[in-house]
Amino acid sequence: LIHSTIRLAGTRAPMGNPPAGAALALPPPWRKAPVAAERRSPERLEALRRYWRENLAGVPACLNLPFDRPRTAVLSDHGGRFVRRLTNALATAIAGIAGNNNVTPFVVLETGLAILCGILSDSRDVVIGAASEGRHHADLFDAIGLYVNTVPLRHAIDPSAALGELLAAGRDQVVAAVENDELQFDEIVAALDPQRRSSFDPLFQVFCQLRIG
């Protein structure tokens, strides 16, 4: 999850049974929903809406990837699945690129996916969806519960830019998205009011999630 890109790694104990006498961290009583709207001031809400409107202004309605068959008139979740695990050598190379450019492996993979989608769709403006953990309050860091939000990450694919520049821009998008993810995805869509079609999702159609292990 994106939230992990800005938290220190290695601070959590391995998963397993809790030590004897340990108390489970339960959600605070005020946390009744993924985002408690009443805890966001009108000023904060307007600032969140303004960020997403400005950041996603003019994005393409749909990423036109070259499919092997026509897009259906109505969006469906039916489809195939292809699984390919990264080799140890490739994972090591990705970690090396991340370290050399002061970014995380997620940023390397997500930015690389955006570049690939830009090449395949012949587009220089690509939006990739990703997940954000959504734990803004310190009491939620170790609380039980699902607080995940979906955030759009926008990439301006400049063919003349160096890889390090594209990775830095991708990192900035991730950090800014995490800082502004108190606005839930449906609220982001409502704030932008993009073109809607029954044949594709709004704002992005490609999603990136990194799983380790």
Side-chain angles (χ1 to χ4, degrees):
L1 296 177
I2 292 180
H3 186 75
S4 300
T5 67
I6 60 172
R7 293 186 63 188
L8 292 177
T11 58
R12 292 177 178 267
M15 293 296 291
N17 294 327
L24 294 177
L26 298 177
W30 54 262
R31 190 72 175 190
K32 302 296 185 182
V35 169
E38 65 275 10
R39 295 185 62 84
R40 300 174 298 181
S41 68
E43 294 78 12
R44 177 58 178 163
L45 278 172
E46 182 52 36
L48 291 168
R49 294 189 184 106
R50 183 168 58 251
Y51 166 78
W52 287 111
R53 288 193 193 107
E54 292 175 355
N55 187 56
L56 298 176
V59 294
C62 183
L63 184 63
N64 292 312
L65 294 171
F67 297 116
D68 59 353
R69 61 197 68 193
R71 185 185 294 273
T72 58
V74 178
L75 185 65
S76 169
D77 59 1
H78 295 294
R81 183 184 183 193
F82 177 75
V83 178
R84 181 177 179 181
R85 295 184 180 275
L86 300 181
T87 65
N88 290 336
L90 184 54
T92 299
I94 291 171
I97 293 172
N100 291 337
N101 291 276
N102 194 31
V103 300
T104 64
F106 172 83
V107 170
V108 174
L109 291 171
E110 192 271 335
T111 302
L113 176 61
I115 294 171
L116 176 62
C117 287
I119 293 172
L120 293 177
S121 63
D122 193 25
S123 174
R124 299 295 176 259
D125 193 355
V126 176
V127 180
I128 304 292
S132 177
E133 201 169 33
R135 295 173 183 261
H136 304 285
H137 196 280
D139 290 346
L140 299 177
F141 287 169
D142 297 306
I144 298 172
L146 183 64
Y147 303 89
V148 173
N149 188 21
T150 300
V151 291
L153 303 175
R154 188 178 192 177
H155 295 264
I157 310 299
D158 182 357
S160 65
L163 176 60
E165 294 176 301
L166 295 174
L167 291 176
R171 177 191 59 213
D172 293 345
Q173 276 287 305
V174 168
V175 172
V178 171
E179 292 175 346
N180 291 276
D181 77 340
E182 293 171 64
L183 209 63
Q184 295 290 279
F185 181 67
D186 62 315
E187 295 176 302
I188 296 174
V189 173
L192 273 81
D193 192 23
Q195 175 185 349
R196 303 295 295 271
R197 295 279 181 84
S198 61
S199 59
F200 55 79
D201 288 316
L203 299 184
F204 66 85
Q205 296 78 45
V206 176
F207 191 89
C208 181
Q209 181 176 355
L210 174 62
R211 293 183 179 180
I212 300 176

